[in-house]
Coordinates of all heavy atoms in Angstrom, one line a residue:
Q19 N 31.5 33.1 -16.2 CA 31.8 34.5 -16.6 C 30.6 35.4 -16.6 O 30.8 36.7 -16.5 CB 32.5 34.5 -18.0 CG 31.6 33.9 -19.1 CD 32.3 33.9 -20.5 OE1 32.9 35.0 -20.8 NE2 32.3 32.8 -21.2
Y20 N 29.4 34.9 -16.8 CA 28.2 35.8 -16.8 C 27.6 36.0 -15.5 O 26.6 36.6 -15.4 CB 27.2 35.2 -17.8 CG 27.8 35.1 -19.2 CD1 28.0 33.9 -19.8 CD2 28.1 36.3 -20.0 CE1 28.6 33.8 -21.1 CE2 28.6 36.2 -21.2 CZ 28.8 34.9 -21.8 OH 29.4 34.9 -23.1
N21 N 28.1 35.3 -14.4 CA 27.6 35.5 -13.1 C 28.1 36.8 -12.5 O 29.3 37.1 -12.6 CB 28.0 34.3 -12.2 CG 27.2 33.1 -12.6 OD1 26.3 33.1 -13.4 ND2 27.6 31.9 -12.0
N22 N 27.2 37.5 -11.8 CA 27.7 38.7 -11.1 C 27.8 38.4 -9.6 O 26.8 37.8 -9.1 CB 26.7 39.9 -11.3 CG 26.6 40.3 -12.8 OD1 27.6 40.5 -13.5 ND2 25.4 40.5 -13.3
R23 N 28.9 38.8 -9.0 CA 29.1 38.5 -7.6 C 27.9 39.1 -6.8 O 27.5 40.2 -6.9 CB 30.4 39.2 -7.1 CG 30.7 38.8 -5.6 CD 32.0 39.4 -5.2 NE 32.2 39.2 -3.8 CZ 32.7 38.0 -3.3 NH1 33.0 37.0 -4.0 NH2 32.9 37.9 -2.0
G24 N 27.3 38.2 -5.9 CA 26.2 38.6 -5.1 C 24.8 38.3 -5.7 O 23.8 38.4 -5.1
Q25 N 24.9 37.8 -7.0 CA 23.6 37.5 -7.7 C 23.1 36.1 -7.2 O 23.9 35.2 -6.9 CB 23.9 37.4 -9.2 CG 22.8 36.7 -10.0 CD 23.3 36.4 -11.4 OE1 24.5 36.7 -11.8 NE2 22.4 35.8 -12.2
T26 N 21.8 36.1 -7.0 CA 21.2 34.8 -6.5 C 21.0 33.9 -7.7 O 20.4 34.3 -8.7 CB 19.8 35.1 -5.9 OG1 20.0 35.9 -4.7 CG2 19.2 33.7 -5.4
L27 N 21.6 32.7 -7.6 CA 21.5 31.7 -8.7 C 20.4 30.7 -8.3 O 20.5 29.9 -7.4 CB 22.8 31.0 -8.9 CG 24.0 31.9 -9.1 CD1 25.3 31.0 -9.2 CD2 23.8 32.6 -10.5
F28 N 19.2 30.8 -9.0 CA 18.1 30.0 -8.7 C 18.2 28.6 -9.4 O 18.6 28.5 -10.5 CB 16.8 30.6 -9.2 CG 16.5 31.9 -8.4 CD1 16.8 33.1 -8.9 CD2 15.9 31.8 -7.2 CE1 16.5 34.3 -8.3 CE2 15.6 33.0 -6.5 CZ 15.9 34.2 -7.0
N29 N 17.9 27.6 -8.6 CA 17.9 26.2 -9.1 C 16.8 26.0 -10.1 O 15.6 26.2 -9.8 CB 17.8 25.2 -7.9 CG 18.1 23.8 -8.3 OD1 18.1 23.5 -9.5 ND2 18.4 23.0 -7.3
S30 N 17.1 25.6 -11.3 CA 16.0 25.4 -12.3 C 15.2 24.1 -12.0 O 14.1 24.0 -12.6 CB 16.6 25.2 -13.7 OG 17.5 24.1 -13.8
E31 N 15.7 23.2 -11.2 CA 14.9 22.1 -10.8 C 13.9 22.5 -9.7 O 14.2 23.2 -8.8 CB 15.8 21.0 -10.2 CG 16.7 20.3 -11.3 CD 17.5 19.2 -10.7 OE1 16.9 18.4 -9.8 OE2 18.6 19.0 -11.1
D32 N 12.7 22.0 -9.8 CA 11.6 22.3 -8.8 C 11.8 21.3 -7.6 O 11.1 20.3 -7.6 CB 10.3 22.2 -9.5 CG 9.2 22.7 -8.6 OD1 9.5 23.1 -7.4 OD2 8.0 22.7 -9.0
T33 N 12.7 21.6 -6.8 CA 13.0 20.7 -5.7 C 11.8 20.6 -4.7 O 11.6 19.5 -4.0 CB 14.3 21.1 -4.9 OG1 14.2 22.5 -4.6 CG2 15.5 20.9 -5.8
S34 N 11.0 21.6 -4.5 CA 9.8 21.6 -3.7 C 8.8 20.6 -4.2 O 8.2 19.8 -3.5 CB 9.2 22.9 -3.6 OG 10.0 23.9 -2.9
S35 N 8.8 20.5 -5.5 CA 7.9 19.5 -6.2 C 8.4 18.1 -6.0 O 7.5 17.2 -5.8 CB 7.8 19.8 -7.7 OG 7.0 18.9 -8.3
Y36 N 9.7 17.9 -5.9 CA 10.2 16.6 -5.7 C 9.8 16.1 -4.3 O 9.5 14.9 -4.1 CB 11.7 16.6 -5.7 CG 12.3 16.8 -7.1 CD1 13.6 17.4 -7.3 CD2 11.6 16.5 -8.2 CE1 14.1 17.6 -8.6 CE2 12.1 16.7 -9.5 CZ 13.3 17.3 -9.7 OH 13.8 17.5 -10.9
I37 N 9.7 17.0 -3.3 CA 9.3 16.6 -2.0 C 7.8 16.4 -1.9 O 7.4 15.3 -1.4 CB 9.7 17.8 -1.0 CG1 11.2 17.9 -0.9 CG2 9.1 17.5 0.4 CD1 11.7 19.0 0.0
K38 N 7.0 17.3 -2.5 CA 5.6 17.2 -2.4 C 5.0 16.0 -3.3 O 4.2 15.3 -2.8 CB 5.0 18.5 -2.9 CG 3.4 18.5 -2.7 CD 2.9 19.9 -3.1 CE 1.4 20.0 -3.0 NZ 0.8 21.3 -3.4
H39 N 5.5 15.9 -4.5 CA 4.9 14.9 -5.4 C 5.8 13.7 -5.5 O 5.2 12.6 -5.7 CB 4.7 15.6 -6.8 CG 3.8 16.8 -6.8 ND1 2.5 16.7 -6.5 CD2 4.1 18.1 -7.0 CE1 1.9 17.9 -6.6 NE2 2.9 18.8 -6.9
G40 N 7.1 13.9 -5.5 CA 8.0 12.7 -5.6 C 8.1 11.9 -4.4 O 8.0 10.6 -4.5
Y41 N 8.3 12.5 -3.2 CA 8.5 11.8 -2.0 C 7.1 11.6 -1.2 O 6.7 10.5 -1.0 CB 9.5 12.5 -1.1 CG 9.7 11.9 0.3 CD1 10.3 10.6 0.3 CD2 9.3 12.5 1.4 CE1 10.5 10.0 1.6 CE2 9.5 11.9 2.7 CZ 10.1 10.7 2.7 OH 10.3 10.1 4.0
V42 N 6.5 12.7 -0.9 CA 5.2 12.6 -0.1 C 4.1 12.0 -0.9 O 3.3 11.2 -0.5 CB 4.8 14.0 0.4 CG1 3.5 13.9 1.2 CG2 5.9 14.6 1.3
G43 N 4.0 12.4 -2.2 CA 2.9 12.0 -3.1 C 3.0 10.7 -3.8 O 2.1 10.3 -4.6
N44 N 4.1 10.0 -3.6 CA 4.3 8.7 -4.3 C 4.8 7.6 -3.3 O 5.8 7.7 -2.8 CB 5.4 8.9 -5.4 CG 5.5 7.6 -6.3 OD1 5.9 6.6 -5.9 ND2 5.0 7.8 -7.6
S45 N 3.9 6.6 -3.1 CA 4.2 5.6 -2.1 C 5.4 4.8 -2.4 O 6.1 4.4 -1.5 CB 2.9 4.7 -1.9 OG 2.6 4.1 -3.1
D46 N 5.7 4.5 -3.7 CA 6.8 3.7 -4.0 C 8.1 4.5 -3.7 O 9.0 3.9 -3.1 CB 6.8 3.4 -5.6 CG 5.7 2.5 -5.9 OD1 5.3 1.7 -5.0 OD2 5.2 2.5 -7.1
V47 N 8.2 5.7 -4.1 CA 9.4 6.6 -3.8 C 9.6 6.7 -2.3 O 10.7 6.6 -1.7 CB 9.3 7.9 -4.5 CG1 10.5 8.8 -4.0 CG2 9.3 7.8 -6.0
Y48 N 8.4 7.0 -1.6 CA 8.5 7.1 -0.1 C 9.0 5.9 0.5 O 9.9 6.0 1.4 CB 7.1 7.4 0.4 CG 7.0 7.6 1.8 CD1 7.1 8.9 2.4 CD2 6.7 6.5 2.7 CE1 7.0 9.0 3.8 CE2 6.6 6.7 4.1 CZ 6.8 7.9 4.6 OH 6.7 8.1 6.0
S49 N 8.6 4.7 0.1 CA 9.0 3.4 0.7 C 10.5 3.2 0.4 O 11.2 2.8 1.4 CB 8.2 2.3 0.1 OG 6.8 2.4 0.5
I50 N 11.0 3.5 -0.8 CA 12.4 3.2 -1.1 C 13.3 4.1 -0.3 O 14.3 3.7 0.3 CB 12.6 3.4 -2.6 CG1 11.9 2.4 -3.4 CG2 14.1 3.4 -3.0 CD1 11.8 2.6 -4.9
I51 N 13.0 5.4 -0.3 CA 13.8 6.4 0.4 C 13.8 6.1 1.9 O 14.8 6.1 2.6 CB 13.4 7.8 0.1 CG1 13.7 8.2 -1.3 CG2 14.0 8.8 1.1 CD1 13.3 9.6 -1.7
N52 N 12.6 5.8 2.5 CA 12.5 5.5 3.9 C 13.3 4.2 4.3 O 13.9 4.1 5.4 CB 11.1 5.3 4.3 CG 10.5 6.6 4.9 OD1 11.0 7.7 4.6 ND2 9.5 6.5 5.7
Y53 N 13.4 3.3 3.4 CA 14.2 2.0 3.6 C 15.7 2.4 3.7 O 16.4 1.9 4.6 CB 13.9 1.0 2.5 CG 14.8 -0.2 2.6 CD1 14.4 -1.2 3.5 CD2 16.0 -0.4 1.9 CE1 15.2 -2.4 3.7 CE2 16.8 -1.5 2.0 CZ 16.4 -2.5 2.9 OH 17.2 -3.6 3.1
I54 N 16.1 3.3 2.8 CA 17.5 3.7 2.8 C 17.8 4.5 4.1 O 18.8 4.3 4.7 CB 17.8 4.6 1.5 CG1 17.6 3.8 0.3 CG2 19.2 5.2 1.6 CD1 17.7 4.6 -1.0
L55 N 16.9 5.4 4.5 CA 17.1 6.2 5.6 C 17.1 5.4 6.9 O 17.9 5.6 7.8 CB 16.0 7.3 5.7 CG 16.0 8.3 4.6 CD1 14.9 9.4 4.9 CD2 17.4 8.9 4.4
H56 N 16.3 4.4 7.0 CA 16.3 3.5 8.1 C 17.6 2.7 8.2 O 18.1 2.6 9.4 CB 15.1 2.4 8.0 CG 15.1 1.4 9.1 ND1 14.7 1.8 10.4 CD2 15.4 0.1 9.1 CE1 14.7 0.7 11.2 NE2 15.2 -0.3 10.4
T57 N 18.2 2.3 7.1 CA 19.5 1.7 7.1 C 20.6 2.6 7.5 O 21.4 2.3 8.3 CB 19.8 1.1 5.7 OG1 18.7 0.2 5.3 CG2 21.1 0.3 5.7
V58 N 20.5 3.9 7.0 CA 21.5 4.9 7.4 C 21.5 5.2 8.9 O 22.6 5.3 9.5 CB 21.3 6.2 6.6 CG1 22.1 7.3 7.1 CG2 21.6 5.9 5.1
A59 N 20.3 5.2 9.4 CA 20.2 5.6 10.8 C 20.8 4.6 11.8 O 21.2 4.9 12.9 CB 18.7 5.7 11.2
Q60 N 21.0 3.4 11.3 CA 21.6 2.3 12.1 C 23.1 2.3 12.0 O 23.8 1.6 12.8 CB 21.0 1.0 11.7 CG 19.5 0.8 11.9 CD 19.0 -0.5 11.5 OE1 19.3 -1.5 12.1 NE2 18.1 -0.6 10.5
V61 N 23.7 3.1 11.1 CA 25.1 3.1 11.0 C 25.7 3.9 12.2 O 25.4 5.0 12.4 CB 25.6 3.8 9.7 CG1 27.1 3.9 9.6 CG2 25.0 3.0 8.5
E62 N 26.6 3.2 12.9 CA 27.3 3.9 14.0 C 28.5 4.7 13.6 O 29.3 4.2 12.8 CB 27.7 2.8 15.1 CG 26.5 2.1 15.7 CD 26.9 1.1 16.8 OE1 28.2 1.1 17.1 OE2 26.1 0.4 17.3
I63 N 28.5 5.9 14.0 CA 29.6 6.8 13.7 C 30.4 7.2 15.0 O 29.8 7.7 15.9 CB 29.1 8.1 13.0 CG1 28.4 7.7 11.7 CG2 30.3 9.0 12.7 CD1 27.8 8.9 11.0
D64 N 31.7 6.9 14.9 CA 32.5 7.2 16.1 C 33.4 8.4 15.7 O 34.3 8.4 14.9 CB 33.4 6.0 16.4 CG 34.2 6.2 17.7 OD1 33.8 7.1 18.5 OD2 35.1 5.5 18.0
V65 N 33.1 9.6 16.3 CA 33.7 10.8 16.0 C 34.9 11.0 16.9 O 34.8 11.0 18.2 CB 32.8 12.0 16.1 CG1 33.5 13.3 15.7 CG2 31.5 11.8 15.3

């Protein structure tokens, strides 16, 4: 009810920081996510 149409709603989470410090800056997180992505890339999708 308090939103005005056309108003920009900013994300309170610092998502840029998640990329810079969480993914790029942390080797454990980087390895886990890359392992998931490598698995996802091998999934065949028939459209």
